[in-house]
Amino acid sequence: MADKKAAELPRKTYEAELLRLQTELVKLEEWVRAQGVRLVIVFEGRDAAGKGGTIQRITQHLNPRIARIAALPKPTERQRTQWYFQRYVEHLPAAGEIVLFDRSWYNRAGVERVMGFCTREEHQRFLRQCPIFERMLVEDGILLRKYWFSVSDAVQLERFRRRLEDPLRRWKLSPMDLESITRWEAYSRAKDEMMVHTDIVEAPWYVVESDDKRRARLNMMAHLLASVPYHEVPPPVLELPERPSSTGYERPPRDLQTYVPDHTADL
């Protein structure tokens, strides 16, 4: 077995390839806008599997008016009475848009099933309806990509420990995350059952090995780009105009406005 440290992707190599892929994602975004494409990307996986970091890198240089993240909170009491998929439909893209679901309708197949937030009948209904729902999306012309981020129990536990000790990332650790530690096998069984029913030809699952976050991000981004038949759209020709001559405008005195104190002067 190869030494893990030796197999790690060097930071310099990672950053260079990340920038190249992000440049291609900008081209993909412009193609989506120009061609009126609707692209949906679903990110699922265990807690601390690296979904959020990957989404952050994907959207880092994209136009938020075109590419947006859908990370839905718990459903309201009213939403609980709706058709299960209804509140997700509201977030689907229009022409020329990309939506990245940071968790999605698959909550019902995972956390809701394991934690008892839905009934067995609701769960079984989801497994029957989900393939139909996704086939409808694809049939209507939506490009649907589904990624499952797979992390080992040991790596997940170590990431939880780091989050617990890091005040900048502690918000990522919830009681629900901690509960998942004691329900590892239950989540595994739920995931396996979900895959059996929803890994369909029209919308297959793509598994991303994510014990190594750097490799996971690059692998997922490269796969997404390879799976979409985009091409570079020539940008419009833009030229900076000359600034017109002054017409006599004078800036008001500085003491009439409140300025932010110069915090950096004391550094």
Side-chain angles (χ1 to χ4, degrees):
M1 185 175 179
D3 180 70
K4 181 181 178 182
K5 188 173 183 179
E8 289 180 349
L9 194 65
R11 175 172 290 277
K12 188 173 182 179
T13 302
Y14 163 72
E15 291 180 346
E17 180 61 7
L18 177 63
L19 181 59
R20 187 190 73 81
L21 293 172
Q22 288 176 327
T23 302
E24 289 300 313
L25 285 167
V26 172
K27 296 177 185 178
L28 169 66
E29 177 189 53
E30 182 57 21
W31 173 80
V32 165
R33 184 201 63 79
Q35 299 296 320
V37 172
R38 292 171 293 164
L39 175 59
V40 171
I41 311 169
V42 169
F43 293 81
E44 289 289 344
R46 294 182 185 271
D47 300 311
K51 302 180 295 297
T54 303
I55 293 172
Q56 181 183 6
R57 271 67 178 187
I58 289 175
T59 59
Q60 186 173 358
H61 300 290
L62 300 184
N63 184 343
R65 293 185 179 89
I66 297 175
R68 68 177 187 274
I69 301 169
L72 277 60
K74 293 191 301 184
T76 64
E77 288 303 316
R78 180 177 182 275
Q79 288 170 334
R80 291 178 189 277
T81 67
Q82 296 175 340
W83 176 49
Y84 177 72
F85 295 94
Q86 188 168 337
R87 73 186 188 117
Y88 294 99
V89 170
E90 297 176 1
H91 296 271
L92 292 174
E97 295 179 350
I98 303 171
V99 176
L100 301 90
F101 279 94
D102 186 357
R103 295 197 179 277
S104 65
W105 44 88
Y106 282 100
N107 278 339
R108 175 137 295 177
V111 63
E112 290 191 16
R113 170 67 173 133
V114 174
M115 300 302 296
F117 297 154
C118 69
T119 66
R120 177 176 176 79
E121 291 73 20
E122 288 172 332
H123 176 249
Q124 292 300 310
R125 187 184 310 129
F126 170 83
L127 294 180
R128 291 194 305 271
Q129 291 185 351
C130 185
I132 300 172
F133 172 67
E134 292 181 350
R135 287 188 180 104
M136 290 172 64
L137 299 183
V138 174
E139 183 181 356
D140 201 60
I142 288 178
L143 297 183
L144 176 60
R145 300 293 182 268
K146 304 186 309 191
Y147 292 95
W148 177 270
F149 283 69
S150 178
V151 64
S152 65
D153 53 351
V155 171
Q156 184 196 52
L157 190 59
E158 177 57 29
R159 289 176 183 173
F160 281 165
R161 288 198 181 102
R162 291 203 297 268
R163 288 181 178 183
L164 194 61
E165 298 166 358
D166 186 348
L168 297 181
R169 295 190 295 171
R170 192 165 184 175
W171 64 269
K172 292 186 175 183
L173 197 59
S174 69
M176 201 72 67
D177 296 331
L178 300 179
E179 184 75 20
S180 69
I181 296 175
T182 62
R183 297 176 184 255
W184 179 271
E185 290 191 2
Y187 272 104
S188 296
R189 293 189 182 96
K191 184 263 293 183
D192 292 343
E193 185 176 11
M194 175 197 80
M195 289 287 188
V196 168
H197 289 83
T198 63
D199 187 17
I200 58 177
V201 174
E202 296 86 348
W205 277 106
Y206 297 105
V207 178
V208 181
E209 294 286 355
S210 63
D211 275 3
D212 185 326
K213 286 186 176 182
R214 294 180 187 173
R215 293 185 184 274
R217 292 165 185 164
L218 299 184
N219 290 339
M220 182 268 154
M221 293 163 69
H223 180 274
L224 172 65
L225 289 165
S227 75
V228 178
Y230 74 100
H231 57 78
E232 186 170 359
V233 177
V237 178
L238 301 175
E239 294 184 3
L240 290 176
E242 293 186 7
R243 193 181 300 278
S245 301
S246 173
T247 59
Y249 169 78
E250 292 185 8
R251 183 175 181 176
R254 292 175 61 89
D255 57 8
L256 294 180
Q257 297 173 322
T258 303
Y259 283 81
V260 172
D262 187 3
H263 167 75
T264 61
D266 298 325
L267 296 180

